[in-house]
Amino acid sequence: MAGLAGLALAGALLAVGRGALLEAAAVEPFRVEVARPHAPATDGRWSGRVVPTELAARAVVRVDGEVRVGPAGHVLKNMSEGTNDAAGSPEGHVQEGMFEGALSVELGEAPGLRLIEVELPRQGGAEVATDAALVGPFRARYDDSPGCGAGVRVAAAAIDRLVLPPLREKLLAAAPSIGLLGPGTTLEEASVTLQGDALWFRVALAGEHRIAVSGALEVRVAGPRQLGVRLASLGPVEFTGKLRTRATLGAAGLGAIVTGPLAPLGALAGYALADGYIDRRARQEVETQLTAALAVASAIPLIPERAELIVGEPRSRATLAFCAVAIESGGIAAHLSVRPDRPDPTTREEASRVRTRLAAIPGPARHGIELPPLRPVAPQADAEVELSLDTVDALLDAWTANGLLGDLMGRAQWVERVDAALGEWTTLGLAEIEVRLPPSLSPGTGDGWALTVAGLRLGLTGTEGEDPGEVLVAGRGFVRPHYDAARGRLALSGALDRLRLSCARAGALWPCFAALLEMGDVEARLDALLAPGAAGLPGIEVRALLRDGTRALRDGGLELADLAITYPAPGVLRVAAEVR
């Protein structure tokens, strides 16, 4: 009964509010006309026209929550200081044509989405028409050379603990096949030391004979997927055993026979010659075998040419390539490029949707953020992965164009969740959400990235036969990755601090359904969907990925023990993992 009473009250309030808006619109229908709602601003400006034109003098324009234009079209005093443009007028000042209701606002140089609110103060509450603009510079989506926006660092201690043991096992398993060593071979030593630009190694195998070798290996980028390993220097090759003893003693006896009375000297000379010959032959053989083995190792792809960043989803594929590699005593580091694959629609309808999205979005915004340098390469954890904001934005751009982002929202049941929430207190419902513009990230402050969303079209039901036009959503908030240690899952979480609805038709925007946001406490409901562990946004099963990706290194793969997320520089995300 209480729920029914609440629903009736909500309906009455909506009806009263709707009637008041219709009555006001009959006298002064407030709207803002733009070339295209929620669109890129290729010239770095937002322009619109207030209708009726006489309302423009009362309009307040906010960009990302900050007032740029106040009543009568003038920038507030504290916004105009030191921001004169070439024409001598304050930045953000309403341009010529004010008498026709025209507004034009400079959006600044920082790339990404801008939330633009045109507010008309009224008695009883302001009306707000909301637009959004996407600011460049933009990068060519698929033809531009990929930036090195991903980094991997592995600690030397982790290599000793996790990588060398399985390598020792493989080396020992292969040793009996070496004819000189025999089936009883043991591994006396197998060590790798990182120093300078090289990997210093020492290996000693003992069987029927004993072979010990040491040297230095240089590592470099040999191709998009390969790291080239070259023998930089080879130390002494130790070879001892029955065969060497027989060879040197035989040479000593032969030397004594040849030299007659000088037999002792001849024996010594023969021994030395044979011993030196064996050393040279052993060194030549080891160098030949090592060079051949390193050539084979350098040709082995260490990363896949294309990888599904979301397992089981082909549209998440990206092309990976090495950019640089560095070695120091603390560990090994590499920078890689991550370039999303082109869309590959399977039906004519999907191909048409992809073309429409690609035409509406100029490409991923270019922030120009670079990863920290490869040196020093000593990570605090076993392994670290770094991602630049530009790389994440490029992925979001591509996944919006190919429809993956919308489908991920569908799998997380956003439509069903919001529809159920609406059904608790109103006759309106949600049938679909269409993603037209990619979410935009910026460095923000603290432990997360600022998030702006726009171009979300809501398909509402229950509007009583009236066509409200397109219902568009725009908002601002923050987002951060969150690691669920119990599930081994890395997912996004966040919150919204500003959310707006506007209706659009034929290039005009006007306020609509404001009561939906206020009475339904929509922002709080969405925050609950975005809270850590709420599964409101897609995630990556990082524990399973690590286990599956390292089975070749060890049976069952490596296990993720712990994971921490930090922001070492503006626009750079670092994930540090402890592995066992």
Side-chain angles (χ1 to χ4, degrees):
M1 182 65 69
L4 182 61
L7 179 62
L9 178 60
L13 289 173
L14 277 177
V16 172
R18 181 172 176 272
L21 287 177
L22 289 175
E23 182 180 352
V27 179
E28 291 183 317
F30 169 60
R31 64 186 186 275
V32 177
E33 295 179 345
V34 294
R36 183 157 61 96
H38 293 222
T42 54
D43 61 352
R45 302 191 68 87
W46 176 85
S47 298
R49 180 172 175 268
V50 174
V51 178
T53 56
E54 57 268 22
L55 297 180
R58 297 165 50 194
V60 176
V61 180
R62 289 184 174 86
V63 177
D64 292 342
E66 295 184 0
V67 175
R68 295 292 183 86
V69 177
H74 290 283
V75 177
L76 296 186
K77 183 177 181 181
N78 64 344
M79 292 293 296
S80 61
E81 295 176 355
T83 56
N84 289 347
D85 57 22
S89 60
E91 180 182 351
H93 191 89
V94 174
Q95 302 297 300
E96 56 184 330
M98 179 65 200
F99 65 95
E100 296 179 352
L103 302 173
S104 183
V105 179
E106 175 65 44
L107 298 176
E109 297 181 356
L113 277 170
R114 300 287 194 279
L115 185 66
I116 300 155
E117 300 163 288
V118 183
E119 179 182 303
L120 181 65
R122 290 187 185 275
Q123 290 184 352
E127 293 183 73
V128 181
T130 305
D131 195 10
L134 188 59
V135 180
F138 303 104
R139 193 176 74 209
R141 186 173 280 107
Y142 305 111
D143 299 328
D144 208 358
S145 59
C148 300
V152 179
R153 300 166 187 259
V154 182
I159 296 174
D160 289 339
R161 191 177 79 253
L162 302 171
V163 179
L164 287 185
L167 288 181
R168 291 188 184 101
E169 292 179 6
K170 293 179 183 296
L171 181 61
L172 187 56
S177 63
I178 302 174
L180 291 176
L181 295 177
T185 301
T186 60
L187 181 65
E188 290 185 353
E189 184 180 357
S191 62
V192 174
T193 304
L194 307 181
Q195 185 176 347
D197 291 327
L199 287 165
W200 293 86
F201 69 93
R202 178 170 171 79
V203 177
L205 291 163
E208 293 184 9
H209 298 83
R210 182 180 181 277
I211 298 177
V213 61
S214 61
L217 306 177
E218 286 184 355
V219 181
R220 57 182 175 79
V221 175
R225 304 165 62 196
Q226 292 87 21
L227 291 180
V229 185
R230 186 183 71 85
L231 183 62
S233 63
L234 183 64
V237 175
E238 303 170 21
F239 175 65
T240 58
K242 296 178 181 178
L243 180 63
R244 181 184 185 115
T245 302
R246 286 198 300 266
T248 51
L249 289 178
L254 181 62
I257 294 171
V258 171
T259 55
L262 300 177
L265 292 179
L268 183 60
Y271 183 93
L273 288 173
D275 196 56
Y277 174 77
I278 291 174
D279 281 343
R280 289 193 301 273
R281 288 291 298 165
R283 183 181 180 85
Q284 290 172 1
E285 185 65 21
V286 167
E287 189 167 356
T288 299
Q289 295 297 332
L290 272 177
T291 301
L294 293 176
V296 172
S298 298
I300 297 175
L302 297 180
I303 57 174
E305 181 179 5
R306 298 166 70 205
E308 289 182 358
L309 302 184
I310 299 176
V311 178
E313 179 48 72
R315 286 175 294 178
S316 72
R317 286 175 181 160
T319 300
L320 308 178
F322 280 115
C323 297
V325 64
I327 295 174
E328 282 191 356
S329 58
I332 300 177
H335 279 177
L336 302 93
S337 67
V338 180
R339 184 169 59 183
D341 280 9
R342 292 173 179 270
D344 185 20
T346 57
T347 65
R348 179 177 300 179
E349 292 77 10
E350 180 58 26
S352 176
R353 287 194 292 269
V354 168
R355 284 195 299 270
T356 300
R357 296 188 192 106
L358 291 176
I361 310 170
R366 188 198 299 272
H367 294 263
I369 293 173
E370 296 182 358
L371 295 179
L374 288 174
R375 289 187 169 86
V377 297
Q380 298 298 315
D382 289 336
E384 293 177 348
V385 176
E386 294 174 338
L387 289 175
S388 73
L389 185 146
D390 280 351
T391 297
V392 178
D393 263 346
L395 293 173
L396 292 175
D397 173 271
W399 295 352
T400 300
N402 65 25
L404 174 59
L405 197 59
D407 286 353
L408 291 176
M409 293 177 65
R411 294 174 197 174
Q413 297 185 321
W414 275 69
V415 172
E416 291 82 359
R417 292 167 184 255
V418 176
D419 183 63
L422 288 173
E424 293 177 3
W425 60 279
T426 180
T427 58
L428 290 175
L430 183 66
E432 64 172 330
I433 299 176
E434 180 187 1
V435 183
R436 293 182 174 177
L437 287 176
S440 175
L441 298 171
S442 56
T445 58
D447 60 350
W449 286 346
L451 169 71
T452 304
V453 294
L456 292 178
R457 184 188 66 82
L458 303 183
L460 293 180
T461 61
T463 55
E464 301 178 357
E466 296 185 12
D467 180 13
E470 292 187 325
V471 181
L472 302 177
V473 181
R476 282 178 57 81
F478 73 89
V479 66
R480 64 166 69 96
H482 165 75
Y483 179 59
D484 185 341
R487 300 174 58 186
R489 186 173 186 266
L490 187 65
L492 293 175
S493 63
L496 293 173
D497 53 25
R498 206 173 192 88
L499 187 67
R500 295 293 189 185
L501 287 177
S502 286
C503 290
R505 185 188 296 115
L509 291 157
W510 64 91
C512 64
F513 300 109
L516 276 180
L517 301 181
E518 297 173 6
M519 295 175 57
D521 201 12
V522 173
E523 289 189 21
R525 292 173 182 266
L526 288 177
D527 285 350
L529 289 178
L530 298 173
L537 288 174
I540 300 176
E541 307 294 336
V542 291
R543 182 181 294 163
L545 277 176
L546 176 65
R547 187 185 301 123
D548 294 341
T550 56
R551 291 187 187 278
L553 190 64
R554 188 176 71 187
D555 290 342
L558 299 176
E559 281 292 331
L560 182 64
D562 196 11
L563 187 147
I565 300 167
T566 57
Y567 300 84
V572 176
L573 169 73
R574 177 181 292 168
V575 178
E578 298 289 345
V579 184
R580 59 172 180 261

mmCIF file of all heavy atoms in Angstrom, residues 115-141:
data_model
loop_
_atom_site.group_PDB
_atom_site.id
_atom_site.type_symbol
_atom_site.label_atom_id
_atom_site.label_comp_id
_atom_site.label_asym_id
_atom_site.label_seq_id
_atom_site.Cartn_x
_atom_site.Cartn_y
_atom_site.Cartn_z
ATOM 1 N N LEU A 115 31.227 18.852 -21.372
ATOM 2 C CA LEU A 115 29.816 18.914 -21.003
ATOM 3 C C LEU A 115 29.391 20.377 -21.014
ATOM 4 O O LEU A 115 29.942 21.199 -20.274
ATOM 5 C CB LEU A 115 29.609 18.312 -19.617
ATOM 6 C CG LEU A 115 28.165 18.202 -19.129
ATOM 7 C CD1 LEU A 115 27.398 17.215 -19.979
ATOM 8 C CD2 LEU A 115 28.140 17.783 -17.662
ATOM 9 N N ILE A 116 28.433 20.727 -21.864
ATOM 10 C CA ILE A 116 28.017 22.122 -22.059
ATOM 11 C C ILE A 116 26.574 22.266 -21.590
ATOM 12 O O ILE A 116 25.671 21.596 -22.109
ATOM 13 C CB ILE A 116 28.142 22.540 -23.529
ATOM 14 C CG1 ILE A 116 29.605 22.393 -23.962
ATOM 15 C CG2 ILE A 116 27.647 23.951 -23.743
ATOM 16 C CD1 ILE A 116 29.788 22.184 -25.423
ATOM 17 N N GLU A 117 26.362 23.133 -20.605
ATOM 18 C CA GLU A 117 25.040 23.360 -20.042
ATOM 19 C C GLU A 117 24.628 24.808 -20.280
ATOM 20 O O GLU A 117 25.336 25.729 -19.866
ATOM 21 C CB GLU A 117 25.039 23.050 -18.553
ATOM 22 C CG GLU A 117 25.426 21.597 -18.232
ATOM 23 C CD GLU A 117 25.808 21.418 -16.785
ATOM 24 O OE1 GLU A 117 26.896 21.892 -16.407
ATOM 25 O OE2 GLU A 117 25.018 20.824 -16.043
ATOM 26 N N VAL A 118 23.506 24.995 -20.932
ATOM 27 C CA VAL A 118 22.941 26.334 -21.135
ATOM 28 C C VAL A 118 21.757 26.450 -20.186
ATOM 29 O O VAL A 118 20.725 25.792 -20.368
ATOM 30 C CB VAL A 118 22.507 26.548 -22.592
ATOM 31 C CG1 VAL A 118 21.988 27.977 -22.775
ATOM 32 C CG2 VAL A 118 23.673 26.283 -23.543
ATOM 33 N N GLU A 119 21.933 27.269 -19.172
ATOM 34 C CA GLU A 119 20.943 27.375 -18.098
ATOM 35 C C GLU A 119 20.148 28.660 -18.218
ATOM 36 O O GLU A 119 20.703 29.745 -18.424
ATOM 37 C CB GLU A 119 21.664 27.323 -16.751
ATOM 38 C CG GLU A 119 20.739 27.437 -15.549
ATOM 39 C CD GLU A 119 21.515 27.419 -14.252
ATOM 40 O OE1 GLU A 119 22.250 26.439 -14.029
ATOM 41 O OE2 GLU A 119 21.403 28.396 -13.476
ATOM 42 N N LEU A 120 18.826 28.534 -18.080
ATOM 43 C CA LEU A 120 17.940 29.693 -18.083
ATOM 44 C C LEU A 120 17.320 29.824 -16.699
ATOM 45 O O LEU A 120 16.459 29.024 -16.317
ATOM 46 C CB LEU A 120 16.839 29.536 -19.134
ATOM 47 C CG LEU A 120 15.863 30.698 -19.235
ATOM 48 C CD1 LEU A 120 16.566 31.970 -19.709
ATOM 49 C CD2 LEU A 120 14.701 30.355 -20.154
ATOM 50 N N PRO A 121 17.759 30.822 -15.881
ATOM 51 C CA PRO A 121 17.179 30.992 -14.543
ATOM 52 C C PRO A 121 15.699 31.365 -14.639
ATOM 53 O O PRO A 121 15.299 32.209 -15.451
ATOM 54 C CB PRO A 121 18.000 32.140 -13.945
ATOM 55 C CG PRO A 121 19.254 32.196 -14.776
ATOM 56 C CD PRO A 121 18.837 31.772 -16.154
ATOM 57 N N ARG A 122 14.895 30.693 -13.843
ATOM 58 C CA ARG A 122 13.461 30.994 -13.760
ATOM 59 C C ARG A 122 13.031 30.925 -12.299
ATOM 60 O O ARG A 122 13.701 30.311 -11.471
ATOM 61 C CB ARG A 122 12.637 29.985 -14.561
ATOM 62 C CG ARG A 122 12.767 30.083 -16.073
ATOM 63 C CD ARG A 122 11.766 29.142 -16.714
ATOM 64 N NE ARG A 122 11.871 29.067 -18.166
ATOM 65 C CZ ARG A 122 11.295 29.899 -19.004
ATOM 66 N NH1 ARG A 122 10.589 30.933 -18.540
ATOM 67 N NH2 ARG A 122 11.420 29.741 -20.303
ATOM 68 N N GLN A 123 11.905 31.544 -12.025
ATOM 69 C CA GLN A 123 11.344 31.405 -10.694
ATOM 70 C C GLN A 123 10.893 29.961 -10.514
ATOM 71 O O GLN A 123 10.242 29.386 -11.377
ATOM 72 C CB GLN A 123 10.146 32.348 -10.522
ATOM 73 C CG GLN A 123 10.536 33.817 -10.477
ATOM 74 C CD GLN A 123 9.340 34.714 -10.206
ATOM 75 O OE1 GLN A 123 8.196 34.246 -10.190
ATOM 76 N NE2 GLN A 123 9.595 35.996 -9.970
ATOM 77 N N GLY A 124 11.269 29.392 -9.366
ATOM 78 C CA GLY A 124 10.891 28.015 -9.116
ATOM 79 C C GLY A 124 11.921 27.009 -9.599
ATOM 80 O O GLY A 124 11.742 25.813 -9.408
ATOM 81 N N GLY A 125 12.991 27.476 -10.238
ATOM 82 C CA GLY A 125 14.020 26.542 -10.683
ATOM 83 C C GLY A 125 14.448 26.793 -12.104
ATOM 84 O O GLY A 125 13.626 27.150 -12.955
ATOM 85 N N ALA A 126 15.728 26.624 -12.348
ATOM 86 C CA ALA A 126 16.274 26.899 -13.676
ATOM 87 C C ALA A 126 15.975 25.747 -14.626
ATOM 88 O O ALA A 126 15.801 24.594 -14.232
ATOM 89 C CB ALA A 126 17.775 27.126 -13.588
ATOM 90 N N GLU A 127 15.902 26.079 -15.916
ATOM 91 C CA GLU A 127 15.830 25.081 -16.981
ATOM 92 C C GLU A 127 17.218 24.976 -17.609
ATOM 93 O O GLU A 127 17.888 25.994 -17.827
ATOM 94 C CB GLU A 127 14.816 25.481 -18.040
ATOM 95 C CG GLU A 127 13.379 25.481 -17.567
ATOM 96 C CD GLU A 127 12.454 25.817 -18.714
ATOM 97 O OE1 GLU A 127 12.261 24.960 -19.599
ATOM 98 O OE2 GLU A 127 11.945 26.953 -18.733
ATOM 99 N N VAL A 128 17.626 23.764 -17.915
ATOM 100 C CA VAL A 128 18.959 23.536 -18.446
ATOM 101 C C VAL A 128 18.871 22.665 -19.692
ATOM 102 O O VAL A 128 18.349 21.545 -19.650
ATOM 103 C CB VAL A 128 19.883 22.857 -17.412
ATOM 104 C CG1 VAL A 128 21.285 22.658 -18.000
ATOM 105 C CG2 VAL A 128 19.957 23.680 -16.131
ATOM 106 N N ALA A 129 19.372 23.201 -20.796
ATOM 107 C CA ALA A 129 19.538 22.422 -22.029
ATOM 108 C C ALA A 129 21.013 22.002 -22.098
ATOM 109 O O ALA A 129 21.901 22.843 -21.964
ATOM 110 C CB ALA A 129 19.152 23.240 -23.248
ATOM 111 N N THR A 130 21.248 20.730 -22.297
ATOM 112 C CA THR A 130 22.607 20.198 -22.201
ATOM 113 C C THR A 130 23.070 19.662 -23.538
ATOM 114 O O THR A 130 22.345 18.941 -24.222
ATOM 115 C CB THR A 130 22.681 19.074 -21.156
ATOM 116 O OG1 THR A 130 22.177 19.560 -19.915
ATOM 117 C CG2 THR A 130 24.107 18.608 -20.961
ATOM 118 N N ASP A 131 24.294 20.034 -23.902
ATOM 119 C CA ASP A 131 24.922 19.519 -25.111
ATOM 120 C C ASP A 131 26.303 18.997 -24.706
ATOM 121 O O ASP A 131 26.727 19.101 -23.552
ATOM 122 C CB ASP A 131 25.042 20.626 -26.166
ATOM 123 C CG ASP A 131 25.342 20.088 -27.553
ATOM 124 O OD1 ASP A 131 25.266 18.853 -27.744
ATOM 125 O OD2 ASP A 131 25.664 20.889 -28.446
ATOM 126 N N ALA A 132 27.004 18.424 -25.663
ATOM 127 C CA ALA A 132 28.369 17.952 -25.443
ATOM 128 C C ALA A 132 29.146 18.145 -26.726
ATOM 129 O O ALA A 132 28.574 18.143 -27.827
ATOM 130 C CB ALA A 132 28.384 16.491 -25.015
ATOM 131 N N ALA A 133 30.444 18.332 -26.606
ATOM 132 C CA ALA A 133 31.309 18.506 -27.772
ATOM 133 C C ALA A 133 32.587 17.706 -27.561
ATOM 134 O O ALA A 133 33.132 17.651 -26.452
ATOM 135 C CB ALA A 133 31.632 19.984 -27.990
ATOM 136 N N LEU A 134 33.071 17.096 -28.614
ATOM 137 C CA LEU A 134 34.293 16.301 -28.584
ATOM 138 C C LEU A 134 35.421 17.116 -29.197
ATOM 139 O O LEU A 134 35.346 17.522 -30.354
ATOM 140 C CB LEU A 134 34.088 14.994 -29.353
ATOM 141 C CG LEU A 134 35.196 13.950 -29.275
ATOM 142 C CD1 LEU A 134 35.445 13.540 -27.836
ATOM 143 C CD2 LEU A 134 34.836 12.736 -30.116
ATOM 144 N N VAL A 135 36.470 17.366 -28.402
ATOM 145 C CA VAL A 135 37.559 18.247 -28.808
ATOM 146 C C VAL A 135 38.796 17.415 -29.146
ATOM 147 O O VAL A 135 39.101 16.437 -28.456
ATOM 148 C CB VAL A 135 37.882 19.252 -27.684
ATOM 149 C CG1 VAL A 135 39.012 20.183 -28.093
ATOM 150 C CG2 VAL A 135 36.638 20.047 -27.322
ATOM 151 N N GLY A 136 39.510 17.821 -30.199
ATOM 152 C CA GLY A 136 40.740 17.141 -30.606
ATOM 153 C C GLY A 136 41.959 17.738 -29.942
ATOM 154 O O GLY A 136 41.834 18.432 -28.935
ATOM 155 N N PRO A 137 43.172 17.507 -30.451
ATOM 156 C CA PRO A 137 43.462 16.841 -31.729
ATOM 157 C C PRO A 137 43.137 15.346 -31.696
ATOM 158 O O PRO A 137 43.137 14.727 -30.632
ATOM 159 C CB PRO A 137 44.965 17.060 -31.919
ATOM 160 C CG PRO A 137 45.485 17.166 -30.516
ATOM 161 C CD PRO A 137 44.414 17.864 -29.730
ATOM 162 N N PHE A 138 42.835 14.814 -32.900
ATOM 163 C CA PHE A 138 42.469 13.419 -33.012
ATOM 164 C C PHE A 138 43.531 12.658 -33.791
ATOM 165 O O PHE A 138 44.195 13.206 -34.657
ATOM 166 C CB PHE A 138 41.118 13.285 -33.726
ATOM 167 C CG PHE A 138 40.009 14.042 -33.059
ATOM 168 C CD1 PHE A 138 39.538 15.232 -33.583
ATOM 169 C CD2 PHE A 138 39.455 13.578 -31.882
ATOM 170 C CE1 PHE A 138 38.523 15.936 -32.967
ATOM 171 C CE2 PHE A 138 38.439 14.268 -31.250
ATOM 172 C CZ PHE A 138 37.961 15.453 -31.790
ATOM 173 N N ARG A 139 43.646 11.388 -33.451
ATOM 174 C CA ARG A 139 44.591 10.524 -34.143
ATOM 175 C C ARG A 139 43.842 9.693 -35.168
ATOM 176 O O ARG A 139 42.702 9.286 -34.930
ATOM 177 C CB ARG A 139 45.268 9.592 -33.134
ATOM 178 C CG ARG A 139 46.480 8.875 -33.686
ATOM 179 C CD ARG A 139 47.155 8.049 -32.599
ATOM 180 N NE ARG A 139 46.395 6.859 -32.277
ATOM 181 C CZ ARG A 139 46.399 6.273 -31.088
ATOM 182 N NH1 ARG A 139 47.100 6.794 -30.105
ATOM 183 N NH2 ARG A 139 45.709 5.190 -30.868
ATOM 184 N N ALA A 140 44.475 9.456 -36.312
ATOM 185 C CA ALA A 140 43.878 8.559 -37.293
ATOM 186 C C ALA A 140 43.620 7.210 -36.639
ATOM 187 O O ALA A 140 44.501 6.653 -35.974
ATOM 188 C CB ALA A 140 44.793 8.396 -38.507
ATOM 189 N N ARG A 141 42.410 6.693 -36.815
ATOM 190 C CA ARG A 141 41.986 5.545 -36.013
ATOM 191 C C ARG A 141 42.805 4.292 -36.274
ATOM 192 O O ARG A 141 43.167 3.563 -35.362
ATOM 193 C CB ARG A 141 40.508 5.292 -36.277
ATOM 194 C CG ARG A 141 39.889 4.223 -35.399
ATOM 195 C CD ARG A 141 38.394 4.127 -35.581
ATOM 196 N NE ARG A 141 37.687 5.153 -34.843
ATOM 197 C CZ ARG A 141 37.101 6.210 -35.406
ATOM 198 N NH1 ARG A 141 37.157 6.382 -36.704
ATOM 199 N NH2 ARG A 141 36.465 7.088 -34.675
#
